[in-house]
Amino acid sequence: MDKQGQERFLDFILQRVQKGKEDEAKEILTENFRKQNEGTFSQEDIQVFIPKMISLLKPEKLEEVQAVVKQFSGDWGNK
């Protein structure tokens, strides 16, 4: 994912996290983007990322975010 795509994904997620959880979500995403850019992002990172992000999301936004993350993960796995 390029820098512009990362920023769009970050904005998308931040609009869907619980009030007051934005900084934590941004920190998690920024760390994952750094690992992607370095080429060190792994399946294990995905397995840690998903439950953390689920705990930060607004419950009513979970299904929408899961669909987008699934698409993103599929794109990442094809690289």
Side-chain angles (χ1 to χ4, degrees), residues 1 69-79:
M1 180 183 293
V69 169
K70 184 177 179 180
Q71 179 181 355
F72 164 72
S73 296
D75 289 347
W76 174 78
N78 291 330
K79 289 188 176 187

Side-chain angles (χ1 to χ4, degrees), residues 22-36:
E22 297 90 354
D23 288 343
E24 186 176 351
K26 186 174 183 176
E27 184 178 319
I28 292 167
L29 288 166
T30 301
E31 175 67 11
N32 283 340
F33 292 153
R34 181 188 62 76
K35 288 181 177 184
Q36 288 174 25

